[in-house]
Amino acid sequence: MNSIYLDNAATSFPKPPAVAAAMTRYLTDVGASVNRGVYASAQDAGMTTLLLRESLCRLFRHGDPTHCILTSGNTMGLNMVLRGWLRPGDHCLTSSMEHNAVMRPLQDLAEQGVSFDRIPCDRDGRLDPADILPLLRPNTRLVALAHASNVGGAIQDIPAAAKICREHSVPLLLDAAQTAGHWEIDFEGWGLAALSVPGHKGLMGPSGMGALLLSPEFAKNLRPIITGGTGSASDSEHQPAYMPDRFESGTPNLPGIYGLQAAIEFILETGVETLRRREEALTAQFLNGLRDIPHIRLAGPWGLENRAGVISVDFLEQDNAEAAFRLEQDYGILTRCGLHCAPSAHKSLGTFPQGTVRFSPGWFTSSEEITSAVAAVREIAAGAALHS
Ligand SMILES: Cc1ncc(COP(=O)(O)O)c(C=O)c1O
């Protein structure tokens, strides 16, 4: 039985072949570190690192590659902003749909005197940007929002939220874990202060890589949470103030940098809009197939507008973990069940504590695979109802 990979919201698979080729080239032919040597292979590493910053800036419409920090992943980027920006006495606003990559740092910070509130979202997981206003306080120093929910797929109206933040001089941190690579993100047009992305989901690169893009104004007052060797200003025991060295200490993940650069070249060549349209077509097919299946409930919006390809199903007559197990054992369909590191989002969607079975197609998913997945959901739901 061939397996059908429908867990792209966790990590995309497979990757464009150029990704492994670039990583292999680094490991077999380059091997040098960056910022730490002047020989040809070190120049190759330095050039690829620079190209990656430029590609990320092009993709997310940011004009200054020095303010594109390469991170070990999205969780790191989010922590760098939350922990580097918020101080005791500060207030942060977030939504009720956030991932634990935001909620756990905020809970830690709450023990150190930072307070936070959750902007409530509706049963589809959508936020009304106007609800930000009454929750702003004089000491609100940050608004942190996920672009799309990793549970139900609803995409927030970030341009409207960012406008309100700008009008009240509160920086906005955007967690684009579920949209980076396949949805338009306009860093400068929207006026974001910080954008954190993982390299291994929609960007189709390897895990262990991510990026944090900062506005120059925000970067100036953001404190690095990690300091150390940068290969620059080595005469000083103080962290360099200039970008991106201020936020990039230690030898970076160079195989990851080569892989991610190849992945982003693939995305730029394919086109974000083409990627988005494909995701929309697969999502439409999946949702149409689910519509008349009894004994299940969709957690998240049925409509396609402003919706990512994250499809969460609650099997009403059986345990969702049992359904996910059967999907794999009997049909070879790989999904993720449970609470998806987002208990608050499941509470908003009414699927706490049972969670859901999450299906997430990717660029390499075929229409036939979606047909098979819908048929499997139908059979599993019907079988469980028969035995209940
Ligand atoms: C919305 C959201 N935020 C943050 C993260 C954390 O990303 P990573 O595990 O790549 O660091 C994820 C991962 O699933 C996510 O979906």
Side-chain angles (χ1 to χ4, degrees), residues 171-187:
L172 175 61
L173 160 64
L174 186 64
D175 169 4
Q178 298 297 339
T179 51
H182 40 130
W183 283 81
E184 287 298 332
I185 295 174
D186 186 352
F187 188 98

Side-chain angles (χ1 to χ4, degrees), residues 9 73-75 78 99 101 146 148 150 175 177-178 198 200-201:
N74 191 38
T75 298
L78 294 168
H99 189 275
N150 67 314
D175 169 4
Q178 298 297 339
H200 67 106
K201 296 185 196 265

